[in-house]
Amino acid sequence: MIFSRTLLRQRSVLPGFDLALGFTIFYLSLLVLIPLSAAFIKTASMTWPAFVEAVASPRVVASYKLTFGSSLLAAVINAVFGLLVAWVLVRYEFFGKRIVDALVDLPFALPTAVAGITLTGLYATNGWIGQYLDLVGIKVSFTPLGVFIAMTFIGLPFVVRTVQPILEDLAKELEEASATLGATRLQTFHRVILPILTPALLTGFALAFARALGEYGSIIFIAGNMPMVSEITPLLIITKLEQYDYAGATAIAVVMLVMSFILLLTINLLQAWTRKRQGK
Amino acid sequence: MSAISPPLNAHAAPALQAPPHLKSATQEPAWVRYTLIGTALVFLTIFLFLPLASVFTEALRKGWQAYIEAIAEPDAISAIWLTLTAAVIAVPLNLVFGVAAAWTIAKFDFRGKNILLTLIDLPFSVSPVISGLIYVLVFGLQGWFGEWLRDHDWKVIFAVPGIVLATIFVTFPFVARELIPLMQAQGNEQEEAARVLGASGWQTFWKVTLPNVKWALLYGVILCNARAMGEFGAVSVVSGHIRGQTNTLPLHIEILYNEYQMAAAFAVASLLASLALVTLVLKYLVERQVAKEIAQAQADVH
């Protein structure tokens, strides 16, 4: 009763608003909001120096740099190759295209632990890929480079899947008009197609970046986890938990949560921009 | 449709064939096309096809005998059971939540709708490790209910309930996310008609709404289930890694791997990889159905 009287903008003949909204809020609070607030409440009980000590010690800062830097790099690579893959899947015909299209989602469906041990095996010095990289002196498994590889893998579908629908909807007339006006194919891509794709491309980039920041399962196998060198921030949270340093673990978690929330906000704004561009 | 009406989709109309000596203005030269296709395929081979192939190759490295032994071993069996248990509890709960949330958001116009939408998406942007940590803060020995739970001899953290809770959290938005766009596109007319014709609220829901969204519902459940069975980080924090008791399949893989039982680790991993492949096939089939229904709903509205 209370919800329908206070919140509804328009009366509806459909029933169940109170029940459905009530249950939604109850379930959401119980399982998500209250547990998440526990992290902030726990951190609020820390003194400021203790908090700073927990979130800004050299080992933690090194982990931020690694996590942030690799996530950013992986997201950039995914933006470039994701755009390419989306383009190829929408515009060209080739053998096995449908299978390739379906397999792009593999990183979403494959459990992270499986991805972790598989990538580690592939890039080990005796692995299918690692043995050739070893010849030119590049080591991936158990180095920061491994972190980047795992992050690239798990972020791969985001850009493809955000750009693909926009590219499919793109009106051919725009490109024809551009060609008629004398633009080369490259100019058309650069000046006509790319600006239309930009919001979706940025959304996919931000999603891949956000996913990589929090990723744990696939990375810990391949990273080697050396403090100051190849230790990601989520792993530090686990390490502190195992040492029963709950406050320290939670403080780092809060820093990560705040970063995720900022990213979530950015992604929502980007998506609103995409929809506006699409005129929907 | 009358013969003179223009085709709905202009691109679907047969294009006039350009004379072969004229270049198409909106088509790249062949060498550009092949280079782009080639580059994309090389990238996907390195990052998708090789990893997938290597899971199964490594799993069968020591032959079928060893493969079956690794999967039929008691710890593996109990891990399979625990993984199934967690999914069987988490998926239906999130299904009910997803339907309630989608009904609220898609069928009504109310204040705070966008905030609610963002909050539902929240678990996707939280690191899996943090998803586990927050339940430790609430139910762990030092947590809010820690002492109370201990006094009543109940265990949540390092026990099955904690694993279920963490699984629910990481799969929280899947069903709601698939239902909301479809139900928004379908609008309220059919439900309103059912109500006017005298159907009760539940009848309207079961006979009108549910049949309209069944494919999207299935799609959400498939994605939710895949994630529930494969979750590693969140479950790892709350499980305590007790062999044969609180180990799910992904955690069992980690233990085998850390003990250098590579073939066994990959054998168990290949089970989950197969699940992923089945998920992709189902996803592909259902996705086409949902796309058709959304297009249908939009065509009906216009």
Side-chain angles (χ1 to χ4, degrees):
Chain A
M1 281 297 119
I2 180 89
F3 291 134
S4 42
R5 233 181 295 133
T6 51
L7 292 177
L8 267 191
R9 286 221 177 91
Q10 205 178 355
R11 285 185 58 105
S12 171
V13 296
L14 296 183
F17 179 70
D18 288 299
L19 179 68
L21 182 63
F23 178 72
T24 303
I25 292 176
F26 171 73
Y27 191 81
L28 182 72
S29 308
L30 201 66
L31 285 155
V32 176
L33 300 182
I34 295 173
L36 270 180
S37 72
F40 290 91
I41 293 170
K42 177 93 184 169
T43 307
S45 69
M46 291 175 86
T47 63
W48 181 249
F51 178 77
V52 172
E53 165 65 28
V55 302
S57 71
R59 189 171 163 191
V60 182
V61 171
S63 86
Y64 294 148
K65 282 184 187 156
L66 174 70
T67 311
F68 222 81
S70 326
S71 299
L72 202 63
L73 198 59
V76 168
I77 293 292
N78 273 324
V80 173
F81 284 93
L83 176 63
L84 174 66
V85 171
W87 178 269
V88 165
L89 285 176
V90 173
R91 290 298 173 96
Y92 305 142
E93 291 302 323
F94 55 93
F95 180 73
K97 177 170 141 169
R98 284 194 167 183
I99 295 175
V100 172
D101 193 5
L103 273 179
V104 164
D105 283 325
L106 184 73
F108 284 160
L110 196 69
T112 51
V114 179
I117 64 169
T118 308
L119 291 173
T120 314
L122 274 181
Y123 287 92
T125 44
N126 58 357
W128 289 356
I129 300 175
Q131 56 181 316
Y132 299 107
L133 292 176
D134 196 40
L135 291 178
V136 287
I138 300 173
K139 293 225 185 318
V140 177
S141 282
F142 316 121
T143 70
L145 203 55
V147 177
F148 159 75
I149 294 284
M151 286 174 167
T152 308
F153 174 80
I154 51 134
L156 194 148
F158 288 102
V159 174
V160 182
R161 292 305 186 224
T162 45
V163 170
Q164 212 173 4
I166 312 290
L167 206 50
E168 275 165 0
D169 281 353
L170 199 71
K172 198 91 183 168
E173 289 80 359
L174 292 175
E175 290 170 57
E176 285 165 0
S178 162
T180 318
L181 294 171
T184 65
R185 202 58 197 132
L186 202 60
Q187 283 173 323
T188 303
F189 178 78
H190 186 71
R191 301 251 177 105
V192 178
I193 302 175
L194 204 55
I196 297 174
L197 297 181
T198 302
L201 195 61
L202 283 176
T203 307
F205 171 83
L207 285 168
F209 180 63
R211 173 73 207 265
L213 271 188
E215 178 58 18
Y216 172 73
S218 58
I219 297 172
I220 52 153
F221 292 98
I222 199 170
N225 308 326
M226 279 191 306
M228 306 298 291
V229 180
S230 60
E231 195 177 43
I232 53 166
T233 311
L235 178 67
L236 264 181
I237 296 178
I238 298 243
T239 311
K240 295 218 171 206
L241 270 181
E242 280 168 356
Q243 296 161 349
Y244 301 103
D245 180 6
Y246 288 87
T250 313
I252 300 178
V254 163
V255 171
M256 287 195 72
L257 279 174
V258 170
M259 278 199 296
S260 312
F261 293 161
I262 294 172
L263 264 172
L264 183 67
L265 193 71
T266 316
I267 291 167
N268 278 354
L269 291 174
L270 283 170
Q271 276 169 342
W273 184 26
T274 313
R275 275 194 298 272
K276 209 169 137 195
R277 273 286 180 90
Q278 288 285 295
K280 281 177 187 166
Chain B
M1 193 187 288
S2 68
I4 49 161
S5 72
L8 275 175
N9 183 348
H11 305 304
L16 285 176
Q17 201 66 52
H21 62 276
L22 284 180
K23 280 193 300 180
S24 164
T26 54
Q27 180 71 278
E28 296 75 31
W31 68 269
V32 175
R33 258 178 301 167
Y34 290 124
T35 312
L36 292 179
I37 294 175
T39 316
L41 288 180
V42 167
F43 176 74
L44 291 176
T45 304
I46 293 175
F47 280 99
L48 286 185
F49 308 144
L50 281 182
L52 189 60
S54 94
V55 180
F56 293 98
T57 315
E58 294 287 333
L60 292 170
R61 180 150 282 183
K62 290 192 177 161
W64 282 101
Q65 188 70 30
Y67 180 84
I68 291 168
E69 270 169 29
I71 290 171
E73 176 232 349
D75 284 347
I77 297 283
S78 90
I80 292 173
W81 272 115
L82 182 56
T83 298
L84 290 175
T85 310
V88 162
I89 301 173
V91 174
L93 284 175
N94 282 339
L95 172 66
V96 172
F97 163 75
V99 171
W103 179 265
T104 322
I105 288 171
K107 300 291 178 191
F108 298 93
D109 187 20
F110 59 95
R111 271 183 279 275
K113 191 191 256 195
N114 283 329
I115 299 174
L116 188 61
L117 259 174
T118 309
L119 289 178
I120 289 172
D121 264 350
L122 207 55
F124 275 163
S125 58
V126 172
S127 170
V129 169
I130 298 175
S131 318
L133 168 76
I134 55 176
Y135 289 108
V136 173
L137 295 178
V138 176
F139 298 108
L141 208 50
Q142 297 185 8
W144 290 349
F145 301 114
E147 282 184 21
W148 187 85
L149 285 169
R150 192 188 53 196
D151 293 344
H152 291 74
D153 211 18
W154 284 351
K155 251 186 134 180
V156 174
I157 299 305
F158 304 150
V160 178
I163 293 173
V164 173
L165 282 173
T167 307
I168 292 177
F169 186 93
V170 294
T171 58
F172 194 86
F174 279 106
V175 178
R177 265 199 159 190
E178 293 312 321
L179 288 181
I180 290 168
L182 177 63
M183 282 168 72
Q184 276 177 335
Q186 284 173 341
N188 292 357
E189 287 84 0
Q190 293 191 21
E191 280 84 359
E192 283 163 5
R195 288 287 285 165
V196 170
L197 293 172
S200 74
W202 286 111
Q203 279 175 325
T204 310
F205 174 74
W206 286 107
K207 301 215 167 139
V208 178
T209 309
L210 211 54
N212 275 339
V213 299
K214 60 177 185 293
W215 289 108
L217 198 74
L218 182 64
Y219 186 44
V221 166
I222 291 168
L223 296 181
C224 186
N225 181 62
R227 181 75 197 266
M229 292 197 176
E231 178 53 28
F232 177 76
V235 170
S236 168
V237 175
V238 295
S239 121
H241 305 268
I242 308 164
R243 260 192 138 154
Q245 284 181 33
T246 61
N247 256 343
T248 61
L249 273 179
L251 298 177
H252 188 59
I253 294 174
E254 184 194 21
I255 290 189
L256 291 173
Y257 189 85
N258 287 342
E259 288 173 348
Y260 297 102
Q261 300 190 43
M262 296 301 170
F266 276 100
V268 178
S270 75
L271 281 185
L272 287 173
S274 308
L275 174 75
L277 287 180
V278 171
T279 304
L280 288 185
V281 172
L282 289 174
K283 184 173 179 302
Y284 178 73
L285 295 175
V286 175
E287 206 168 32
R288 285 201 318 193
Q289 197 70 34
V290 174
K292 220 189 285 173
E293 282 181 5
I294 289 191
Q296 181 76 42
Q298 279 166 351
D300 287 349
V301 169
H302 294 307

